Amino acid sequence: MKLENPWKQNPWFESVAVAQQRARKKLPAPVYGALIAGSERGQTIEDNQAAFAELGFAPHVAGHRPERSMQRSLLGQDLSLPVMISPTGVQAVHPDGEVAVARAAASKGTVMGLSNFASKSVEEVTATGAPTFFQMYWTGQRDVMIQRMQRAHAAGAQGLIATLDWSFSMGRDWGSPEIPDKVDLLTMIRFAPQVAIKPRWMWQFGKTGAIPDLTTPNLQPPGGEAPTFFGAYYEWMTTTPPTWEDVAWMAQEWKQLSGRPFILKGVYRVDDARRAVDAGVDAISVSNHGGNNLDGTPATIRAVRPVSQAVGSQITVLLDGGVRRGSDVVKALAMGADAVLIGRAYLWGLAANGQAGVENVLDVLRGGIDSALLGLGLSSIDELTPEHLLIPGGFDRAVGAHSESA
């Protein structure tokens, strides 16, 4: 017997802001809280978005181009728009999780970033046909990391992302959302009051016969069991932080194994960008982990131009953090990014309407990019430069631009 959704409504939304509103209405408070959380006072997460609003456009009134292109070839992939899916952990906001996101990425012609803290396996995700970049933290011993690289390569991953911009060690001024170690009967009873007032969310899982999965199958050792999220977190906490020699080793191991791109996520400083080039990476993402790392780090859009000017002729420069609109994407590209990564935006779409919600978010961004190009009188994203923006004095943060220290 097919269950009909008693809360069915018009699933389409016209902005990422509306997707966020719907996610907030649908999700239990701790789940939604995990999506919006930023470290300490939340200064960085706020600046990630506010800084985009400081950049303006000067549109033309005539001479607009009838056709506009936003296609771009990056890291061996042909993208239909310069927006990629950033890897995020344990996407239990929807029963299909990362598989739904990957299907949306494939449908809309972009790359899927898959976290090794994901709730779906790399094999399930690559089976969707989405070009997948597998993400790893620096956790475990080197032989364990090699085993994980080999598994991702065997599954068909088209690139590897090493994420280093994460500490997860600071509290939050308003309190951290409670995340259970696993979902069992006792956990369900304890969280029942919060879940009961969000019946649409549990109905999604109920019709599939599943419960939210907080294990991390991509960290499952051969012949062993997949650890829980906090088991994976413990491994990270007990692993010695990496050096630049470790980064070079990781890049070399992956490229020798696969011959495919290696991306370093978490670069903010110009001197670190130069070190990344020396370590042999193919791309960097200018990132502050969406405001979940060291609070007080300025917005990534403030750092991308100095970084791009320093290394953009040598490697691909990506940006993530605070992207909510197509105009944000255009501003990032004008400031020197080759493409952007999105995180919270697609998670809200996933929570709101599954795969279709993620596709909706990508369509919203596509429409915003096209509108900005139209207003600027451009025919392609390739024509974007800082001259197309109104940039206030002192906007850039060229951190480490003159540092020679190791």
Side-chain angles (χ1 to χ4, degrees), residues 7 255 337 394 403:
W7 299 279
K255 290 199 281 187
S403 174

Side-chain angles (χ1 to χ4, degrees), residues 28-177:
V31 180
Y32 179 74
L35 296 188
I36 63 170
S39 63
E40 294 190 326
R41 70 177 53 145
Q43 178 179 343
T44 293
I45 191 173
E46 289 180 3
D47 195 41
N48 270 349
Q49 297 178 66
F52 277 107
E54 294 181 24
L55 298 172
F57 292 121
H60 289 287
V61 71
H64 296 157
R65 308 296 178 86
E67 296 181 358
R68 295 160 297 282
S69 172
M70 60 189 76
Q71 296 178 347
R72 179 153 283 181
S73 294
L74 288 178
L75 303 170
Q77 305 299 321
D78 293 327
L79 308 180
S80 69
L81 76 168
V83 178
M84 302 163 64
I85 299 296
S86 185
T88 62
V90 191
Q91 295 175 13
V93 299
H94 188 276
D96 295 334
E98 293 84 357
V99 170
V101 178
R103 288 172 178 157
S107 172
K108 297 301 177 179
T110 191
V111 166
M112 170 70 182
L114 177 69
S115 173
N116 65 353
F117 279 25
S119 61
K120 303 293 183 183
S121 72
V122 63
E123 292 82 7
E124 291 177 280
V125 169
T126 56
T128 65
T132 301
F133 286 5
F134 185 68
Q135 176 266 349
M136 290 176 57
Y137 293 103
W138 183 262
T139 63
Q141 300 300 313
R142 284 191 174 190
D143 59 339
V144 173
M145 295 184 207
I146 290 174
Q147 180 268 321
R148 290 168 181 165
M149 291 184 210
Q150 291 171 336
R151 178 180 172 185
H153 177 245
Q158 297 298 305
L160 188 76
I161 302 172
T163 298
L164 302 187
D165 64 329
W166 184 55
S167 63
F168 204 56
S169 59
M170 283 79 67
R172 298 175 172 92
D173 285 5
W174 54 88
S176 299

